[in-house]
Structure formats: C-alpha cells, structure tokens
C-alpha cells in the first residue's frame, strides 16, 4: 500500500523528519565555516586587507540574495525540489573547498579571480539547496504545529552541524606549542584540512537525505487542497487569485522579523571570533570552544522552544529571544574580557539566536498556509533582504575598521555589542507591528 500524504494526514513520520533534517546539513556545515572564519581567514591567513575581505563576504551575500528569488521561481515552476537540491549540492561541493584553498598571494589577479568565481558558485549552489529544502516544509504537511516541528528539527540539525564544525576546528587548528599564538600564514593547510573534512561529512548527509526522503511526499502534495482556516490567522482576506493569496504588507513585516533574527545570528557569528582573538583569551583554541559553547546553548534552546511555544505562544517566545539578545550585548560591552564573560556572551547569543530564528521561520510557514505551490517564492522573498542587509552591514563595518589597534583596542568588542543590540531592537519593533496577528 502506498504511503498516504502527510498533507492530508497532518502528520509527518519520525523517519521522514529524520531524513528531512539531513537535507540542509551540508549547507549548515559550510555556513558555520563561512560566517565564523571567513573574515578571520582572509585577513590573518590569506593576508587580504580588511576592506577586500569584507568585499568578498559582501559578494557572497549579494550573489546569494539575487539567486534566492531566482531559485524561488525555478523551484516552484520547474523540475522537482530534490533535483534542485542535487544541483545546488554539486555546486557547493566543487566550489567551497577552493575558498579556503590556502592561496597566499593577495596581489595576484588570478587568485582574486578564483576567490570571486568560487564564492559566486558556492553561494549560488547554497541558495538552490536552501530554497528547495525550505519549500519542502509546506509540501510535507499543512499542519502549523507539524511545520513548526519540522522547522525546529531543521534548526536543531543546523546547530548540530555547527557544533561539528567547531569540534573539527578545535581538533585541527591549535597545537600545544602554539595554543596562545594568533593565526598566521602557516595555518593555511589547517583550514584546508578542516574544509575537506566538513565537505566529506556534508556529502554523506546529502546522500542519506536523498536515499531516505521519498520524493512522492514532496511532489504529489501540490495537487491537494489544504484547510484554508489555518491560513486565515495571518491572511485577512484570502481569495482564489494567486496574486492576492497573501497580504503583501504582512509578508514584508514578517520578512523584517526574519531579517532581524538572521542579522543577529550572522553578525554575531562573524564578529564573535574576531572579538575572541582581540581579547587574547585561550588563544586559537578559544576560536573553536567559544562558538561551540554558543551552538550547544542554541541546540538546548531549540529543544526547549517547543514546550515554551505551547505554553506562551509565538509572540512571547520571540520577545524572550530579543531580550536575551539585548542582554548579550550589554554583557559584551560592560562585562569585561575574561574567559568566563566571553563564554557567558556566547551562551546568551546562542540562546537568543535559536529562539528568534525558529520563531521567525514558524511565522513564515504560517503565512504560506495551505498554498504550498508558491512556498519557494515566499521563502526567497523573506531571505532576500537578509542577504543584502547583512552583506552591506559587514562591508560598512570593515570600511570603518580601525587600522591602529592601539587607538581602538576594543573595536571588535564594541562592534559585536552594537550589532547585537541594533538587530534585536529591529526585531522588537517589527514584533510590535505584527503582534496582533500572533498568538
């Protein structure tokens, strides 16, 4: 007997959930490496100027931003979701190792061209995997609780992948003799080994995803009609016309809720390693152990969020996350630079990231409601602003970077604190504008 569609059952089997969780692990591994160590690697190992390093990070964000809506259209209209997932995974596999390939000739035009091409291909493939994978959530079920569960599972897998990145980094990066020494050119081969290891892990997870997630669960569901009552929580006047199936203003406000969450996560991930290095706490080993502590706290928060959400609701959950994020900014700025304080900051950042991100994605799934045939384009819209805004903020910060540490010894600390409080303040303001639509 053929398995019944979870869209009609409103349930997703445990096996399907586990298989789905593996689908974004490769992306999560590369994202943790990209955001945590790219600026550090380019400036300390590849010897690029801060503005050039920031420009390359901006390039990646811009490419991702513009490819995201393109894949939103392609995934909805052409081929199957799993086909787009395979295409993106292949692009990530061939391009990501080149970014950390150990090319130490910053003045060489050929090497710069290689950086530009590899980053562009990597971010294009990353966008294909992200959008195809996100669009599978509404295809698997029309139950809001089940979608929130899939979102939490997806985020837990993301956190687990990030933990794997920092464990590998912890093992490969420091040595006994150099534990208190900053990164330099001679560490290039270590980054190459880290990336090759992560790529191997990612390929295994991707293969298992395609083997165990049944394609008929994703593609056949488009022909079914869900329960429109679930969509009316966020759509004031649903109509049969596709152009009016979701309120534009509500979509934009929810997009900003997502942007605030992503801005907090991304910028904290980018500048936490730089802040660690600036503080000279535990040397290179802390570059792995502090982010590891952050992601472990994020994982724990994601597990607890399901129970918090049931008792408090979406609105209270997001509000709680923003308060924790603002507290992390205050501790960063005024708590000092001891090892204990830095680990506390990492734990607060991890908890706030998990709570706000899962909540924002759950709200996005609510907006999609039963109209799963347009899910990819919705996710592409809400992620577009995230990529552009984050990239511009990074290049702005690097443009203003102080080149004389004696004059600004706490530049990275102040930067981390500022981006945390501003992004969470944006989240609070956006929450106020959509609060009447949330439980």
């Amino acid at each position: 007997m053929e398995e019944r569609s979870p869209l009609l059952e409103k349930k997703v089997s445990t096996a399907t959930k586990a298989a789905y969780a593996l689908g974004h692990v490769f992306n999560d591994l590369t994202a943790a490496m990209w955001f945590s160590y790219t600026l550090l690697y380019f400036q300390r190992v590849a010897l690029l100027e801060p503005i050039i390093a920031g420009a390359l990070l901006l390039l990646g964000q811009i490419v991702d931003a513009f490819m995201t809506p393109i894949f939103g259209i392609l995934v909805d209209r052409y081929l199957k979701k799993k086909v787009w997932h395979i295409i993106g995974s292949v692009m990530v596999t061939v391009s990501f190792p080149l970014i950390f390939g150990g090319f130490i000739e910053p003045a060489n035009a050929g090497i710069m061209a290689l950086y530009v091409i590899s980053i562009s291909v990597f971010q294009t493939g990353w966008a294909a995997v992200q959008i195809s994978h996100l669009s599978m959530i509404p295809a698997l079920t029309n139950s809001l609780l089940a979608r929130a569960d899939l979102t939490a599972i997806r985020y837990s897998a993301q956190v687990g992948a990030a933990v794997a990145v920092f464990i590998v980094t912890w093992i490969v990066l420091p040595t006994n003799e150099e534990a208190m020494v900053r990164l330099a050119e001679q560490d290039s081969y270590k980054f190459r080994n880290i990336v090759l290891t992560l790529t191997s892990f990612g390929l295994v997870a991707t293969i298992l995803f395609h083997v165990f997630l049944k394609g008929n669960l994703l593609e056949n569901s488009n022909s079914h009609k869900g329960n429109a009552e679930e969509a009316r929580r966020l759509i004031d006047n649903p109509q049969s016309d596709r152009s009016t199936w979701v309120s534009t203003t509500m979509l934009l406000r929810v997009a900003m809720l997502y942007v605030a969450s992503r801005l907090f996560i991304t910028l904290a991930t980018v500048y936490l390693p730089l802040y660690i290095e600036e503080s000279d706490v535990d040397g290179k080993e802390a570059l792995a152990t502090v982010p590891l502590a952050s992601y472990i706290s994020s994982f724990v928060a994601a597990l607890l969020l399901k129970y918090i959400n049931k008792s408090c609701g979406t609105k209270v959950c997001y509000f709680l996350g923003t308060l924790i994020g603002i507290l992390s900014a205050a501790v960063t700025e005024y708590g000092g630079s001891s090892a204990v304080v830095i680990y506390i900051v990492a734990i607060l950042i991890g908890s706030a990231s998990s709570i706000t991100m899962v909540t924002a994605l759950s709200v996005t799934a609510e907006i999609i409601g039963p109209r799963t045939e347009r899910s990819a384009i919705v996710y592409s819209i809400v992620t577009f602003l995230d990529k552009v805004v984050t990239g511009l903020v990074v290049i702005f910060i690097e443009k203003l970077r102080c080149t004389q540490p004696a004059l600004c010894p706490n530049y990275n600390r102040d930067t981390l604190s500022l981006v945390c409080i501003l992004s969470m303040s944006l989240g609070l303001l956006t929450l106020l504008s959509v609060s009447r639509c949330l439980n």
Side-chain angles (χ1 to χ4, degrees):
M1 239 178 129
E2 193 172 278
E3 185 174 345
R4 299 177 68 184
S5 169
L7 183 63
L8 297 179
E9 295 280 322
K10 294 189 177 183
K11 293 187 294 185
V12 182
S13 69
T14 302
T16 300
K17 291 177 182 179
Y20 176 78
L22 294 172
H24 208 256
V25 166
F26 196 2
N27 261 22
D28 294 332
L29 290 169
T30 58
M33 190 71 188
W34 170 261
F35 288 117
S36 296
Y37 298 116
T38 298
L39 276 183
L40 200 62
Y41 172 82
F42 281 156
Q43 293 180 32
R44 302 288 189 264
V45 179
L47 304 180
L48 300 178
E49 293 294 327
I51 186 64
I52 297 177
L56 288 174
L57 190 68
L58 173 62
L59 170 67
Q61 293 300 100
I62 295 298
V63 171
D64 194 355
F66 281 97
M67 293 309 300
T68 292
I70 292 175
F71 282 115
I73 296 172
L74 294 177
V75 170
D76 278 335
R77 296 185 181 181
Y78 307 102
L79 302 179
K80 296 181 178 181
K81 292 177 174 61
K82 292 184 75 173
V83 173
W84 288 114
H85 191 280
I86 292 173
I87 293 172
S89 298
V90 170
M91 296 177 72
V92 171
T93 302
V94 299
S95 60
F96 187 66
L98 295 176
I99 300 174
F100 297 88
F103 308 110
I104 316 296
E105 293 183 41
N108 189 307
I111 290 178
M112 288 304 301
L114 181 61
Y115 279 136
V116 170
I117 293 171
S118 59
I119 288 173
S120 300
V121 174
F122 162 62
Q123 293 290 358
T124 299
W126 203 96
V129 173
Q130 180 195 36
I131 294 303
S132 61
H133 192 255
L134 277 172
S135 67
M136 294 176 189
I137 294 178
L140 287 170
T141 177
N142 70 336
S143 167
L144 295 182
L145 287 177
R147 289 179 180 180
D149 197 23
L150 280 173
T151 301
I153 291 170
R154 182 182 186 275
Y155 189 81
S156 297
Q158 175 185 336
V159 173
V163 168
V165 170
F166 298 121
I167 290 176
V168 172
T169 304
W170 188 9
I171 295 171
V172 175
L173 196 56
T175 64
N176 291 335
E177 294 81 10
E178 301 176 282
M180 297 301 293
V181 179
R182 292 190 177 190
L183 292 172
E185 293 177 56
Q186 60 266 28
D187 292 308
S188 62
Y189 77 94
K190 296 179 182 178
F191 278 93
R192 184 169 59 248
N193 293 341
I194 291 170
V195 169
L196 291 176
T197 301
L198 298 178
T199 300
S200 301
F201 290 165
L203 284 174
V204 171
T206 300
I207 292 170
L208 293 175
F209 163 75
H210 283 281
V211 169
F212 291 106
L213 186 67
K214 298 179 181 180
N216 68 297
L217 299 181
L218 302 172
E219 307 306 328
N220 292 342
S221 60
N222 285 348
S223 61
H224 299 290
K225 293 182 180 179
N227 183 1
E229 291 300 321
E230 297 191 21
R232 286 172 189 160
R233 290 183 61 197
L234 292 178
I235 305 173
D236 294 329
N237 186 27
Q239 300 177 24
S240 59
D241 190 343
R242 286 187 177 186
S243 64
T244 59
W245 73 277
V246 66
S247 167
T248 302
T249 56
M250 177 56 67
L251 180 59
L252 290 176
R253 280 182 284 171
V254 170
M256 289 308 299
L257 202 68
Y258 178 88
V259 166
S261 304
R262 285 296 306 170
L263 194 63
F264 176 82
I265 295 173
T266 303
L267 293 178
T269 304
V270 168
Y271 288 100
L272 183 59
L274 291 170
Y275 167 52
I276 295 167
E277 191 188 46
E278 178 183 84
S279 65
D280 281 329
V281 174
D282 292 339
K284 286 186 284 187
E285 186 174 0
L287 293 175
T289 57
V290 175
L292 177 61
S294 179
Y295 275 93
I296 289 175
S297 71
S298 184
F299 181 74
V300 173
L303 293 178
L304 296 176
L305 185 59
K306 179 179 180 179
Y307 304 100
I308 299 174
N309 196 18
K310 283 183 179 179
S311 58
C312 300
T314 305
K315 180 166 54 176
V316 175
C317 279
Y318 195 91
F319 180 71
L320 174 64
T322 58
L323 290 183
I324 295 174
I326 292 173
L327 177 61
S328 72
V331 174
T332 301
E333 185 66 25
Y334 302 110
S337 58
S338 67
V340 173
V341 169
I342 291 176
Y343 280 99
I344 290 174
V345 168
I347 291 170
L348 292 173
I349 287 175
S351 301
S353 299
S354 180
I355 294 171
T356 57
M357 190 72 259
V358 173
T359 306
L361 282 174
S362 297
V363 173
T364 305
E366 288 184 39
I367 277 192
I368 292 172
R371 304 304 297 269
T372 61
E373 73 276 7
R374 299 296 297 277
S375 58
I377 191 63
V378 171
Y379 281 116
S380 68
I381 290 172
V382 299
T383 56
F384 177 82
L385 281 175
D386 153 49
K387 310 299 181 183
V388 175
V389 171
T390 302
L392 290 175
V393 170
V394 169
I395 193 65
F396 178 74
I397 293 172
E398 293 306 307
K399 174 88 174 164
L400 298 177
R401 175 168 289 279
C402 176
T403 57
Q404 300 180 30
L407 299 178
C408 45
N410 298 315
Y411 180 83
N412 291 314
R413 183 202 69 186
D414 296 340
T415 298
L416 179 62
S417 175
L418 186 62
V419 297
C420 285
I421 194 168
L422 289 181
S423 56
M424 287 294 90
S425 296
L426 174 62
L428 275 178
L429 291 175
T430 308
L431 179 66
L432 291 175
S433 70
V434 299
S435 60
R436 64 184 180 86
C437 304
L438 304 178
N439 58 33

